[in-house]
Structures are given as structure tokens and as C-alpha cells.
Amino acid sequence: MKLLMQLVSAVFHPLLLSTHMMVVLYFTAPEIIGSIGVEYIPNLILAIFLSTAVIPAMSIGFMKVSSRISNYEMTQREERMWPFLLITIFYAATTYFMISQFRVGDVFALMMITVSILIFALLLITLRFKISIHAAASWGGAGIISFLFVQNEAPLFVPLMITFLAAGAVGTSRLYLGYHTPKEIWTGSLFGFGFCFLVLNLFG
């Protein structure tokens, strides 16, 4: 069971949020991504994966090797500031590049901006309080898919159900592995979902 929980935690790592969202849109509603040809979207997914997951993960790995953080889970709240700041910069730079260099749609651009702001908000929160970033990211993704579903942007009923189940599994895995308390899970979940859903509804 522990191995399964670790696998769930890894597959739905916060750094993979944008990549997951891109994959969902590619298979369900590629027109939301923008007017670029569908054949080019896999290359776009790869670029987002490298810039928002691989490079930040390598940066965190360097911090671990140089003893700036004690473990990859960053269980100590005080250790989270610099990794989060780096991740925020990578997400913001990727968002700016995607919007300025590609013909992405307005809804997709707003999604990227929302995720970047969410990460920055989590950085500010973690300066004072420890919440589950895994829960915030997974439920933030659920908030994004919920917005698209409510707005009838795409046939997303099945992806919506899968996203909710995945987000619930992520929270369960973090509790099982002992990385967070129920309060930290609930706080992260409610903030992630509420922030993404409300921002997209207000500006979308």
C-alpha cells in the first residue's frame, strides 16, 4: 500500500499540474489551447513539461545536494521559500513565453496565468503556514476542469470525474505517508480549488 501511495504522490506531483492540464485538453478540446495546429500541440506539451517540471525538479535536486533543503518533500515549512520562488519564476516565464510566442487561446492563457498566480500565492502562504501543496495543485486542477465543464467549453464530464478521484487519492496518499495533517490537506484542497475556480469565473 505504501508503494501505491508513493506512486500516486509522484504521478500527481504539483510540478506536473500544467502538463496534466495540457494532456487533458489535447485529448478532449484542443481548440481551447489555441489556433496552433493540433499536430504541434505535443511539442507544446513537451516544452511545458520541460520548463515547468523537469528544470524546476533539477533545481530542487541541486538544492538537496547542496543541503539547502533536507529532503525532496520539503516537509519543513522554512525550507520551502527558495524552491517555491524558483518554481514561480519558471511558471511565470513559461506563461509569458507561451502567450507572447504562440497563438494560444484566451481561456488557455488565463489558465496558465491562474496557475502561476496560484503558485505565488502558495509561496506567500507557506511563509506563515504549512499546507499541502500536493492537495492545492491537484484540487486546483479540479477547479480548472470544473470551470471548463460549467462553461460548456468541452465535453469534460469523464475527465472531471477522473480529476476529482485523482485529487482525492492525492490527499489520501499524503495523509497515509504522514507528510501532512488532515487540516493541512483540507486547507490546501479548499484553497487550490476555490482559487482556480473563482479566478477563472471572474476573469474568464
Side-chain angles (χ1 to χ4, degrees), residues 2-29:
K2 182 178 180 180
L3 181 61
L4 176 61
M5 294 295 100
Q6 289 174 331
L7 180 63
V8 169
S9 189
V11 169
F12 297 101
H13 193 280
L15 291 178
L16 295 172
L17 174 57
S18 288
T19 304
H20 287 156
M21 293 298 99
M22 282 288 293
V23 171
V24 170
L25 292 179
Y26 174 59
F27 285 106
T28 58

mmCIF file with all atom_site columns, all heavy atoms in Angstrom, residues 2-29:
data_model
loop_
_atom_site.group_PDB
_atom_site.id
_atom_site.type_symbol
_atom_site.label_atom_id
_atom_site.label_alt_id
_atom_site.label_comp_id
_atom_site.label_asym_id
_atom_site.label_entity_id
_atom_site.label_seq_id
_atom_site.pdbx_PDB_ins_code
_atom_site.Cartn_x
_atom_site.Cartn_y
_atom_site.Cartn_z
_atom_site.occupancy
_atom_site.B_iso_or_equiv
_atom_site.pdbx_formal_charge
_atom_site.auth_seq_id
_atom_site.auth_comp_id
_atom_site.auth_asym_id
_atom_site.auth_atom_id
_atom_site.pdbx_PDB_model_num
ATOM 1   N N   . LYS A 1 2  ? 1.959   1.227  0.764   1.00 0.00 ? 2  LYS A N   1
ATOM 2   C CA  . LYS A 1 2  ? 2.828   2.398  0.822   1.00 0.00 ? 2  LYS A CA  1
ATOM 3   C C   . LYS A 1 2  ? 3.392   2.730  -0.558  1.00 0.00 ? 2  LYS A C   1
ATOM 4   O O   . LYS A 1 2  ? 3.453   3.906  -0.951  1.00 0.00 ? 2  LYS A O   1
ATOM 5   C CB  . LYS A 1 2  ? 3.974   2.167  1.810   1.00 0.00 ? 2  LYS A CB  1
ATOM 6   C CG  . LYS A 1 2  ? 4.891   3.380  1.958   1.00 0.00 ? 2  LYS A CG  1
ATOM 7   C CD  . LYS A 1 2  ? 5.977   3.139  2.977   1.00 0.00 ? 2  LYS A CD  1
ATOM 8   C CE  . LYS A 1 2  ? 6.874   4.365  3.095   1.00 0.00 ? 2  LYS A CE  1
ATOM 9   N NZ  . LYS A 1 2  ? 7.958   4.154  4.101   1.00 0.00 ? 2  LYS A NZ  1
ATOM 10  N N   . LEU A 1 3  ? 3.784   1.714  -1.310  1.00 0.00 ? 3  LEU A N   1
ATOM 11  C CA  . LEU A 1 3  ? 4.321   1.931  -2.653  1.00 0.00 ? 3  LEU A CA  1
ATOM 12  C C   . LEU A 1 3  ? 3.274   2.571  -3.563  1.00 0.00 ? 3  LEU A C   1
ATOM 13  O O   . LEU A 1 3  ? 3.585   3.474  -4.353  1.00 0.00 ? 3  LEU A O   1
ATOM 14  C CB  . LEU A 1 3  ? 4.800   0.605  -3.250  1.00 0.00 ? 3  LEU A CB  1
ATOM 15  C CG  . LEU A 1 3  ? 5.427   0.685  -4.658  1.00 0.00 ? 3  LEU A CG  1
ATOM 16  C CD1 . LEU A 1 3  ? 6.661   1.579  -4.632  1.00 0.00 ? 3  LEU A CD1 1
ATOM 17  C CD2 . LEU A 1 3  ? 5.792   -0.716 -5.149  1.00 0.00 ? 3  LEU A CD2 1
ATOM 18  N N   . LEU A 1 4  ? 2.021   2.125  -3.441  1.00 0.00 ? 4  LEU A N   1
ATOM 19  C CA  . LEU A 1 4  ? 0.933   2.685  -4.239  1.00 0.00 ? 4  LEU A CA  1
ATOM 20  C C   . LEU A 1 4  ? 0.730   4.159  -3.902  1.00 0.00 ? 4  LEU A C   1
ATOM 21  O O   . LEU A 1 4  ? 0.560   5.006  -4.793  1.00 0.00 ? 4  LEU A O   1
ATOM 22  C CB  . LEU A 1 4  ? -0.352  1.906  -4.001  1.00 0.00 ? 4  LEU A CB  1
ATOM 23  C CG  . LEU A 1 4  ? -1.610  2.446  -4.699  1.00 0.00 ? 4  LEU A CG  1
ATOM 24  C CD1 . LEU A 1 4  ? -1.430  2.446  -6.219  1.00 0.00 ? 4  LEU A CD1 1
ATOM 25  C CD2 . LEU A 1 4  ? -2.839  1.638  -4.291  1.00 0.00 ? 4  LEU A CD2 1
ATOM 26  N N   . MET A 1 5  ? 0.747   4.487  -2.612  1.00 0.00 ? 5  MET A N   1
ATOM 27  C CA  . MET A 1 5  ? 0.572   5.873  -2.182  1.00 0.00 ? 5  MET A CA  1
ATOM 28  C C   . MET A 1 5  ? 1.724   6.754  -2.665  1.00 0.00 ? 5  MET A C   1
ATOM 29  O O   . MET A 1 5  ? 1.524   7.909  -3.052  1.00 0.00 ? 5  MET A O   1
ATOM 30  C CB  . MET A 1 5  ? 0.458   5.939  -0.658  1.00 0.00 ? 5  MET A CB  1
ATOM 31  C CG  . MET A 1 5  ? -0.786  5.278  -0.074  1.00 0.00 ? 5  MET A CG  1
ATOM 32  S SD  . MET A 1 5  ? -2.355  6.091  -0.541  1.00 0.00 ? 5  MET A SD  1
ATOM 33  C CE  . MET A 1 5  ? -2.928  5.004  -1.861  1.00 0.00 ? 5  MET A CE  1
ATOM 34  N N   . GLN A 1 6  ? 2.925   6.203  -2.651  1.00 0.00 ? 6  GLN A N   1
ATOM 35  C CA  . GLN A 1 6  ? 4.083   6.955  -3.158  1.00 0.00 ? 6  GLN A CA  1
ATOM 36  C C   . GLN A 1 6  ? 3.960   7.184  -4.657  1.00 0.00 ? 6  GLN A C   1
ATOM 37  O O   . GLN A 1 6  ? 4.333   8.257  -5.163  1.00 0.00 ? 6  GLN A O   1
ATOM 38  C CB  . GLN A 1 6  ? 5.375   6.195  -2.840  1.00 0.00 ? 6  GLN A CB  1
ATOM 39  C CG  . GLN A 1 6  ? 5.749   6.195  -1.365  1.00 0.00 ? 6  GLN A CG  1
ATOM 40  C CD  . GLN A 1 6  ? 6.948   5.317  -1.058  1.00 0.00 ? 6  GLN A CD  1
ATOM 41  O OE1 . GLN A 1 6  ? 7.190   4.318  -1.749  1.00 0.00 ? 6  GLN A OE1 1
ATOM 42  N NE2 . GLN A 1 6  ? 7.698   5.671  -0.031  1.00 0.00 ? 6  GLN A NE2 1
ATOM 43  N N   . LEU A 1 7  ? 3.436   6.197  -5.370  1.00 0.00 ? 7  LEU A N   1
ATOM 44  C CA  . LEU A 1 7  ? 3.246   6.319  -6.817  1.00 0.00 ? 7  LEU A CA  1
ATOM 45  C C   . LEU A 1 7  ? 2.211   7.406  -7.134  1.00 0.00 ? 7  LEU A C   1
ATOM 46  O O   . LEU A 1 7  ? 2.429   8.237  -8.024  1.00 0.00 ? 7  LEU A O   1
ATOM 47  C CB  . LEU A 1 7  ? 2.806   4.980  -7.399  1.00 0.00 ? 7  LEU A CB  1
ATOM 48  C CG  . LEU A 1 7  ? 2.567   4.956  -8.918  1.00 0.00 ? 7  LEU A CG  1
ATOM 49  C CD1 . LEU A 1 7  ? 3.856   5.268  -9.666  1.00 0.00 ? 7  LEU A CD1 1
ATOM 50  C CD2 . LEU A 1 7  ? 2.028   3.595  -9.349  1.00 0.00 ? 7  LEU A CD2 1
ATOM 51  N N   . VAL A 1 8  ? 1.101   7.407  -6.403  1.00 0.00 ? 8  VAL A N   1
ATOM 52  C CA  . VAL A 1 8  ? 0.065   8.428  -6.600  1.00 0.00 ? 8  VAL A CA  1
ATOM 53  C C   . VAL A 1 8  ? 0.640   9.807  -6.335  1.00 0.00 ? 8  VAL A C   1
ATOM 54  O O   . VAL A 1 8  ? 0.425   10.754 -7.097  1.00 0.00 ? 8  VAL A O   1
ATOM 55  C CB  . VAL A 1 8  ? -1.139  8.171  -5.664  1.00 0.00 ? 8  VAL A CB  1
ATOM 56  C CG1 . VAL A 1 8  ? -2.094  9.367  -5.668  1.00 0.00 ? 8  VAL A CG1 1
ATOM 57  C CG2 . VAL A 1 8  ? -1.875  6.910  -6.088  1.00 0.00 ? 8  VAL A CG2 1
ATOM 58  N N   . SER A 1 9  ? 1.401   9.927  -5.263  1.00 0.00 ? 9  SER A N   1
ATOM 59  C CA  . SER A 1 9  ? 2.005   11.198 -4.894  1.00 0.00 ? 9  SER A CA  1
ATOM 60  C C   . SER A 1 9  ? 2.973   11.693 -5.958  1.00 0.00 ? 9  SER A C   1
ATOM 61  O O   . SER A 1 9  ? 3.070   12.896 -6.220  1.00 0.00 ? 9  SER A O   1
ATOM 62  C CB  . SER A 1 9  ? 2.731   11.055 -3.547  1.00 0.00 ? 9  SER A CB  1
ATOM 63  O OG  . SER A 1 9  ? 3.158   12.295 -3.053  1.00 0.00 ? 9  SER A OG  1
ATOM 64  N N   . ALA A 1 10 ? 3.692   10.769 -6.589  1.00 0.00 ? 10 ALA A N   1
ATOM 65  C CA  . ALA A 1 10 ? 4.668   11.136 -7.621  1.00 0.00 ? 10 ALA A CA  1
ATOM 66  C C   . ALA A 1 10 ? 3.994   11.483 -8.945  1.00 0.00 ? 10 ALA A C   1
ATOM 67  O O   . ALA A 1 10 ? 4.342   12.475 -9.597  1.00 0.00 ? 10 ALA A O   1
ATOM 68  C CB  . ALA A 1 10 ? 5.666   9.993  -7.817  1.00 0.00 ? 10 ALA A CB  1
ATOM 69  N N   . VAL A 1 11 ? 3.020   10.670 -9.354  1.00 0.00 ? 11 VAL A N   1
ATOM 70  C CA  . VAL A 1 11 ? 2.348   10.887 -10.643 1.00 0.00 ? 11 VAL A CA  1
ATOM 71  C C   . VAL A 1 11 ? 1.612   12.224 -10.654 1.00 0.00 ? 11 VAL A C   1
ATOM 72  O O   . VAL A 1 11 ? 1.574   12.916 -11.683 1.00 0.00 ? 11 VAL A O   1
ATOM 73  C CB  . VAL A 1 11 ? 1.372   9.731  -10.933 1.00 0.00 ? 11 VAL A CB  1
ATOM 74  C CG1 . VAL A 1 11 ? 0.475   10.069 -12.126 1.00 0.00 ? 11 VAL A CG1 1
ATOM 75  C CG2 . VAL A 1 11 ? 2.145   8.447  -11.210 1.00 0.00 ? 11 VAL A CG2 1
ATOM 76  N N   . PHE A 1 12 ? 1.055   12.606 -9.509  1.00 0.00 ? 12 PHE A N   1
ATOM 77  C CA  . PHE A 1 12 ? 0.309   13.862 -9.429  1.00 0.00 ? 12 PHE A CA  1
ATOM 78  C C   . PHE A 1 12 ? 1.087   14.914 -8.640  1.00 0.00 ? 12 PHE A C   1
ATOM 79  O O   . PHE A 1 12 ? 0.522   15.678 -7.864  1.00 0.00 ? 12 PHE A O   1
ATOM 80  C CB  . PHE A 1 12 ? -1.070  13.621 -8.806  1.00 0.00 ? 12 PHE A CB  1
ATOM 81  C CG  . PHE A 1 12 ? -1.936  12.720 -9.637  1.00 0.00 ? 12 PHE A CG  1
ATOM 82  C CD1 . PHE A 1 12 ? -2.089  11.380 -9.301  1.00 0.00 ? 12 PHE A CD1 1
ATOM 83  C CD2 . PHE A 1 12 ? -2.567  13.197 -10.775 1.00 0.00 ? 12 PHE A CD2 1
ATOM 84  C CE1 . PHE A 1 12 ? -2.873  10.530 -10.078 1.00 0.00 ? 12 PHE A CE1 1
ATOM 85  C CE2 . PHE A 1 12 ? -3.352  12.357 -11.556 1.00 0.00 ? 12 PHE A CE2 1
ATOM 86  C CZ  . PHE A 1 12 ? -3.509  11.027 -11.208 1.00 0.00 ? 12 PHE A CZ  1
ATOM 87  N N   . HIS A 1 13 ? 2.399   14.932 -8.876  1.00 0.00 ? 13 HIS A N   1
ATOM 88  C CA  . HIS A 1 13 ? 3.241   15.932 -8.234  1.00 0.00 ? 13 HIS A CA  1
ATOM 89  C C   . HIS A 1 13 ? 2.816   17.326 -8.704  1.00 0.00 ? 13 HIS A C   1
ATOM 90  O O   . HIS A 1 13 ? 2.424   17.510 -9.866  1.00 0.00 ? 13 HIS A O   1
ATOM 91  C CB  . HIS A 1 13 ? 4.713   15.685 -8.601  1.00 0.00 ? 13 HIS A CB  1
ATOM 92  C CG  . HIS A 1 13 ? 5.671   16.450 -7.767  1.00 0.00 ? 13 HIS A CG  1
ATOM 93  N ND1 . HIS A 1 13 ? 5.959   17.785 -7.998  1.00 0.00 ? 13 HIS A ND1 1
ATOM 94  C CD2 . HIS A 1 13 ? 6.412   16.087 -6.680  1.00 0.00 ? 13 HIS A CD2 1
ATOM 95  C CE1 . HIS A 1 13 ? 6.829   18.206 -7.106  1.00 0.00 ? 13 HIS A CE1 1
ATOM 96  N NE2 . HIS A 1 13 ? 7.112   17.205 -6.297  1.00 0.00 ? 13 HIS A NE2 1
ATOM 97  N N   . PRO A 1 14 ? 2.865   18.337 -7.824  1.00 0.00 ? 14 PRO A N   1
ATOM 98  C CA  . PRO A 1 14 ? 2.461   19.702 -8.209  1.00 0.00 ? 14 PRO A CA  1
ATOM 99  C C   . PRO A 1 14 ? 3.160   20.240 -9.452  1.00 0.00 ? 14 PRO A C   1
ATOM 100 O O   . PRO A 1 14 ? 2.562   20.998 -10.226 1.00 0.00 ? 14 PRO A O   1
ATOM 101 C CB  . PRO A 1 14 ? 2.826   20.528 -6.971  1.00 0.00 ? 14 PRO A CB  1
ATOM 102 C CG  . PRO A 1 14 ? 2.718   19.560 -5.841  1.00 0.00 ? 14 PRO A CG  1
ATOM 103 C CD  . PRO A 1 14 ? 3.184   18.252 -6.395  1.00 0.00 ? 14 PRO A CD  1
ATOM 104 N N   . LEU A 1 15 ? 4.411   19.859 -9.672  1.00 0.00 ? 15 LEU A N   1
ATOM 105 C CA  . LEU A 1 15 ? 5.132   20.353 -10.839 1.00 0.00 ? 15 LEU A CA  1
ATOM 106 C C   . LEU A 1 15 ? 4.525   19.864 -12.153 1.00 0.00 ? 15 LEU A C   1
ATOM 107 O O   . LEU A 1 15 ? 4.788   20.429 -13.221 1.00 0.00 ? 15 LEU A O   1
ATOM 108 C CB  . LEU A 1 15 ? 6.599   19.924 -10.779 1.00 0.00 ? 15 LEU A CB  1
ATOM 109 C CG  . LEU A 1 15 ? 7.462   20.567 -9.690  1.00 0.00 ? 15 LEU A CG  1
ATOM 110 C CD1 . LEU A 1 15 ? 8.877   20.006 -9.743  1.00 0.00 ? 15 LEU A CD1 1
ATOM 111 C CD2 . LEU A 1 15 ? 7.484   22.085 -9.840  1.00 0.00 ? 15 LEU A CD2 1
ATOM 112 N N   . LEU A 1 16 ? 3.700   18.828 -12.078 1.00 0.00 ? 16 LEU A N   1
ATOM 113 C CA  . LEU A 1 16 ? 3.107   18.251 -13.286 1.00 0.00 ? 16 LEU A CA  1
ATOM 114 C C   . LEU A 1 16 ? 1.723   18.817 -13.589 1.00 0.00 ? 16 LEU A C   1
ATOM 115 O O   . LEU A 1 16 ? 1.077   18.387 -14.551 1.00 0.00 ? 16 LEU A O   1
ATOM 116 C CB  . LEU A 1 16 ? 3.022   16.732 -13.157 1.00 0.00 ? 16 LEU A CB  1
ATOM 117 C CG  . LEU A 1 16 ? 4.366   15.996 -13.071 1.00 0.00 ? 16 LEU A CG  1
ATOM 118 C CD1 . LEU A 1 16 ? 4.143   14.525 -12.743 1.00 0.00 ? 16 LEU A CD1 1
ATOM 119 C CD2 . LEU A 1 16 ? 5.129   16.140 -14.384 1.00 0.00 ? 16 LEU A CD2 1
ATOM 120 N N   . LEU A 1 17 ? 1.262   19.787 -12.790 1.00 0.00 ? 17 LEU A N   1
ATOM 121 C CA  . LEU A 1 17 ? -0.101  20.302 -12.957 1.00 0.00 ? 17 LEU A CA  1
ATOM 122 C C   . LEU A 1 17 ? -0.355  20.812 -14.367 1.00 0.00 ? 17 LEU A C   1
ATOM 123 O O   . LEU A 1 17 ? -1.328  20.420 -15.017 1.00 0.00 ? 17 LEU A O   1
ATOM 124 C CB  . LEU A 1 17 ? -0.367  21.421 -11.936 1.00 0.00 ? 17 LEU A CB  1
ATOM 125 C CG  . LEU A 1 17 ? -1.704  22.165 -12.081 1.00 0.00 ? 17 LEU A CG  1
ATOM 126 C CD1 . LEU A 1 17 ? -2.878  21.192 -11.997 1.00 0.00 ? 17 LEU A CD1 1
ATOM 127 C CD2 . LEU A 1 17 ? -1.826  23.254 -11.019 1.00 0.00 ? 17 LEU A CD2 1
ATOM 128 N N   . SER A 1 18 ? 0.500   21.687 -14.875 1.00 0.00 ? 18 SER A N   1
ATOM 129 C CA  . SER A 1 18 ? 0.287   22.246 -16.213 1.00 0.00 ? 18 SER A CA  1
ATOM 130 C C   . SER A 1 18 ? 0.372   21.179 -17.293 1.00 0.00 ? 18 SER A C   1
ATOM 131 O O   . SER A 1 18 ? -0.391  21.200 -18.272 1.00 0.00 ? 18 SER A O   1
ATOM 132 C CB  . SER A 1 18 ? 1.315   23.357 -16.501 1.00 0.00 ? 18 SER A CB  1
ATOM 133 O OG  . SER A 1 18 ? 1.024   24.500 -15.734 1.00 0.00 ? 18 SER A OG  1
ATOM 134 N N   . THR A 1 19 ? 1.281   20.235 -17.128 1.00 0.00 ? 19 THR A N   1
ATOM 135 C CA  . THR A 1 19 ? 1.410   19.148 -18.101 1.00 0.00 ? 19 THR A CA  1
ATOM 136 C C   . THR A 1 19 ? 0.141   18.307 -18.134 1.00 0.00 ? 19 THR A C   1
ATOM 137 O O   . THR A 1 19 ? -0.373  17.964 -19.220 1.00 0.00 ? 19 THR A O   1
ATOM 138 C CB  . THR A 1 19 ? 2.616   18.255 -17.766 1.00 0.00 ? 19 THR A CB  1
ATOM 139 O OG1 . THR A 1 19 ? 3.798   19.056 -17.704 1.00 0.00 ? 19 THR A OG1 1
ATOM 140 C CG2 . THR A 1 19 ? 2.803   17.174 -18.812 1.00 0.00 ? 19 THR A CG2 1
ATOM 141 N N   . HIS A 1 20 ? -0.389  17.969 -16.966 1.00 0.00 ? 20 HIS A N   1
ATOM 142 C CA  . HIS A 1 20 ? -1.626  17.204 -16.897 1.00 0.00 ? 20 HIS A CA  1
ATOM 143 C C   . HIS A 1 20 ? -2.772  17.948 -17.585 1.00 0.00 ? 20 HIS A C   1
ATOM 144 O O   . HIS A 1 20 ? -3.552  17.351 -18.345 1.00 0.00 ? 20 HIS A O   1
ATOM 145 C CB  . HIS A 1 20 ? -2.005  16.918 -15.442 1.00 0.00 ? 20 HIS A CB  1
ATOM 146 C CG  . HIS A 1 20 ? -1.134  15.902 -14.802 1.00 0.00 ? 20 HIS A CG  1
ATOM 147 N ND1 . HIS A 1 20 ? -0.955  15.823 -13.430 1.00 0.00 ? 20 HIS A ND1 1
ATOM 148 C CD2 . HIS A 1 20 ? -0.357  14.910 -15.310 1.00 0.00 ? 20 HIS A CD2 1
ATOM 149 C CE1 . HIS A 1 20 ? -0.146  14.833 -13.145 1.00 0.00 ? 20 HIS A CE1 1
ATOM 150 N NE2 . HIS A 1 20 ? 0.229   14.265 -14.267 1.00 0.00 ? 20 HIS A NE2 1
ATOM 151 N N   . MET A 1 21 ? -2.891  19.252 -17.304 1.00 0.00 ? 21 MET A N   1
ATOM 152 C CA  . MET A 1 21 ? -3.964  20.043 -17.901 1.00 0.00 ? 21 MET A CA  1
ATOM 153 C C   . MET A 1 21 ? -3.838  20.071 -19.427 1.00 0.00 ? 21 MET A C   1
ATOM 154 O O   . MET A 1 21 ? -4.822  19.982 -20.156 1.00 0.00 ? 21 MET A O   1
ATOM 155 C CB  . MET A 1 21 ? -3.950  21.463 -17.349 1.00 0.00 ? 21 MET A CB  1
ATOM 156 C CG  . MET A 1 21 ? -4.295  21.596 -15.867 1.00 0.00 ? 21 MET A CG  1
ATOM 157 S SD  . MET A 1 21 ? -5.973  21.033 -15.451 1.00 0.00 ? 21 MET A SD  1
ATOM 158 C CE  . MET A 1 21 ? -5.632  19.372 -14.821 1.00 0.00 ? 21 MET A CE  1
ATOM 159 N N   . MET A 1 22 ? -2.605  20.202 -19.908 1.00 0.00 ? 22 MET A N   1
ATOM 160 C CA  . MET A 1 22 ? -2.368  20.216 -21.352 1.00 0.00 ? 22 MET A CA  1
ATOM 161 C C   . MET A 1 22 ? -2.782  18.901 -21.997 1.00 0.00 ? 22 MET A C   1
ATOM 162 O O   . MET A 1 22 ? -3.402  18.881 -23.063 1.00 0.00 ? 22 MET A O   1
ATOM 163 C CB  . MET A 1 22 ? -0.886  20.492 -21.631 1.00 0.00 ? 22 MET A CB  1
ATOM 164 C CG  . MET A 1 22 ? -0.463  21.937 -21.488 1.00 0.00 ? 22 MET A CG  1
ATOM 165 S SD  . MET A 1 22 ? -1.082  22.962 -22.841 1.00 0.00 ? 22 MET A SD  1
ATOM 166 C CE  . MET A 1 22 ? -0.156  22.306 -24.231 1.00 0.00 ? 22 MET A CE  1
ATOM 167 N N   . VAL A 1 23 ? -2.441  17.798 -21.370 1.00 0.00 ? 23 VAL A N   1
ATOM 168 C CA  . VAL A 1 23 ? -2.772  16.478 -21.914 1.00 0.00 ? 23 VAL A CA  1
ATOM 169 C C   . VAL A 1 23 ? -4.289  16.294 -21.978 1.00 0.00 ? 23 VAL A C   1
ATOM 170 O O   . VAL A 1 23 ? -4.835  15.796 -22.978 1.00 0.00 ? 23 VAL A O   1
ATOM 171 C CB  . VAL A 1 23 ? -2.115  15.366 -21.075 1.00 0.00 ? 23 VAL A CB  1
ATOM 172 C CG1 . VAL A 1 23 ? -2.634  13.989 -21.500 1.00 0.00 ? 23 VAL A CG1 1
ATOM 173 C CG2 . VAL A 1 23 ? -0.598  15.420 -21.214 1.00 0.00 ? 23 VAL A CG2 1
ATOM 174 N N   . VAL A 1 24 ? -4.978  16.706 -20.893 1.00 0.00 ? 24 VAL A N   1
ATOM 175 C CA  . VAL A 1 24 ? -6.443  16.602 -20.869 1.00 0.00 ? 24 VAL A CA  1
ATOM 176 C C   . VAL A 1 24 ? -7.055  17.395 -22.014 1.00 0.00 ? 24 VAL A C   1
ATOM 177 O O   . VAL A 1 24 ? -7.936  16.907 -22.746 1.00 0.00 ? 24 VAL A O   1
ATOM 178 C CB  . VAL A 1 24 ? -7.007  17.091 -19.513 1.00 0.00 ? 24 VAL A CB  1
ATOM 179 C CG1 . VAL A 1 24 ? -8.534  17.221 -19.584 1.00 0.00 ? 24 VAL A CG1 1
ATOM 180 C CG2 . VAL A 1 24 ? -6.625  16.131 -18.399 1.00 0.00 ? 24 VAL A CG2 1
ATOM 181 N N   . LEU A 1 25 ? -6.603  18.630 -22.200 1.00 0.00 ? 25 LEU A N   1
ATOM 182 C CA  . LEU A 1 25 ? -7.148  19.470 -23.265 1.00 0.00 ? 25 LEU A CA  1
ATOM 183 C C   . LEU A 1 25 ? -6.799  18.926 -24.649 1.00 0.00 ? 25 LEU A C   1
ATOM 184 O O   . LEU A 1 25 ? -7.608  19.022 -25.580 1.00 0.00 ? 25 LEU A O   1
ATOM 185 C CB  . LEU A 1 25 ? -6.626  20.903 -23.117 1.00 0.00 ? 25 LEU A CB  1
ATOM 186 C CG  . LEU A 1 25 ? -7.133  21.682 -21.909 1.00 0.00 ? 25 LEU A CG  1
ATOM 187 C CD1 . LEU A 1 25 ? -6.529  23.076 -21.879 1.00 0.00 ? 25 LEU A CD1 1
ATOM 188 C CD2 . LEU A 1 25 ? -8.656  21.764 -21.908 1.00 0.00 ? 25 LEU A CD2 1
ATOM 189 N N   . TYR A 1 26 ? -5.619  18.381 -24.791 1.00 0.00 ? 26 TYR A N   1
ATOM 190 C CA  . TYR A 1 26 ? -5.199  17.839 -26.087 1.00 0.00 ? 26 TYR A CA  1
ATOM 191 C C   . TYR A 1 26 ? -6.140  16.725 -26.561 1.00 0.00 ? 26 TYR A C   1
ATOM 192 O O   . TYR A 1 26 ? -6.491  16.648 -27.746 1.00 0.00 ? 26 TYR A O   1
ATOM 193 C CB  . TYR A 1 26 ? -3.770  17.314 -25.979 1.00 0.00 ? 26 TYR A CB  1
ATOM 194 C CG  . TYR A 1 26 ? -3.265  16.596 -27.215 1.00 0.00 ? 26 TYR A CG  1
ATOM 195 C CD1 . TYR A 1 26 ? -3.216  17.254 -28.445 1.00 0.00 ? 26 TYR A CD1 1
ATOM 196 C CD2 . TYR A 1 26 ? -2.831  15.278 -27.142 1.00 0.00 ? 26 TYR A CD2 1
ATOM 197 C CE1 . TYR A 1 26 ? -2.747  16.605 -29.579 1.00 0.00 ? 26 TYR A CE1 1
ATOM 198 C CE2 . TYR A 1 26 ? -2.364  14.618 -28.271 1.00 0.00 ? 26 TYR A CE2 1
ATOM 199 C CZ  . TYR A 1 26 ? -2.321  15.284 -29.492 1.00 0.00 ? 26 TYR A CZ  1
ATOM 200 O OH  . TYR A 1 26 ? -1.862  14.633 -30.612 1.00 0.00 ? 26 TYR A OH  1
ATOM 201 N N   . PHE A 1 27 ? -6.570  15.884 -25.616 1.00 0.00 ? 27 PHE A N   1
ATOM 202 C CA  . PHE A 1 27 ? -7.412  14.746 -25.989 1.00 0.00 ? 27 PHE A CA  1
ATOM 203 C C   . PHE A 1 27 ? -8.906  15.065 -25.966 1.00 0.00 ? 27 PHE A C   1
ATOM 204 O O   . PHE A 1 27 ? -9.706  14.287 -26.507 1.00 0.00 ? 27 PHE A O   1
ATOM 205 C CB  . PHE A 1 27 ? -7.138  13.556 -25.066 1.00 0.00 ? 27 PHE A CB  1
ATOM 206 C CG  . PHE A 1 27 ? -5.836  12.860 -25.357 1.00 0.00 ? 27 PHE A CG  1
ATOM 207 C CD1 . PHE A 1 27 ? -4.748  13.018 -24.513 1.00 0.00 ? 27 PHE A CD1 1
ATOM 208 C CD2 . PHE A 1 27 ? -5.689  12.066 -26.483 1.00 0.00 ? 27 PHE A CD2 1
ATOM 209 C CE1 . PHE A 1 27 ? -3.536  12.380 -24.788 1.00 0.00 ? 27 PHE A CE1 1
ATOM 210 C CE2 . PHE A 1 27 ? -4.489  11.434 -26.767 1.00 0.00 ? 27 PHE A CE2 1
ATOM 211 C CZ  . PHE A 1 27 ? -3.409  11.590 -25.915 1.00 0.00 ? 27 PHE A CZ  1
ATOM 212 N N   . THR A 1 28 ? -9.292  16.188 -25.333 1.00 0.00 ? 28 THR A N   1
ATOM 213 C CA  . THR A 1 28 ? -10.722 16.483 -25.221 1.00 0.00 ? 28 THR A CA  1
ATOM 214 C C   . THR A 1 28 ? -11.145 17.749 -25.965 1.00 0.00 ? 28 THR A C   1
ATOM 215 O O   . THR A 1 28 ? -12.204 17.767 -26.593 1.00 0.00 ? 28 THR A O   1
ATOM 216 C CB  . THR A 1 28 ? -11.144 16.635 -23.747 1.00 0.00 ? 28 THR A CB  1
ATOM 217 O OG1 . THR A 1 28 ? -10.365 17.677 -23.137 1.00 0.00 ? 28 THR A OG1 1
ATOM 218 C CG2 . THR A 1 28 ? -10.944 15.332 -22.982 1.00 0.00 ? 28 THR A CG2 1
ATOM 219 N N   . ALA A 1 29 ? -10.336 18.784 -25.894 1.00 0.00 ? 29 ALA A N   1
ATOM 220 C CA  . ALA A 1 29 ? -10.720 20.058 -26.515 1.00 0.00 ? 29 ALA A CA  1
ATOM 221 C C   . ALA A 1 29 ? -9.480  20.841 -26.928 1.00 0.00 ? 29 ALA A C   1
ATOM 222 O O   . ALA A 1 29 ? -9.169  21.879 -26.343 1.00 0.00 ? 29 ALA A O   1
ATOM 223 C CB  . ALA A 1 29 ? -11.579 20.875 -25.553 1.00 0.00 ? 29 ALA A CB  1
#
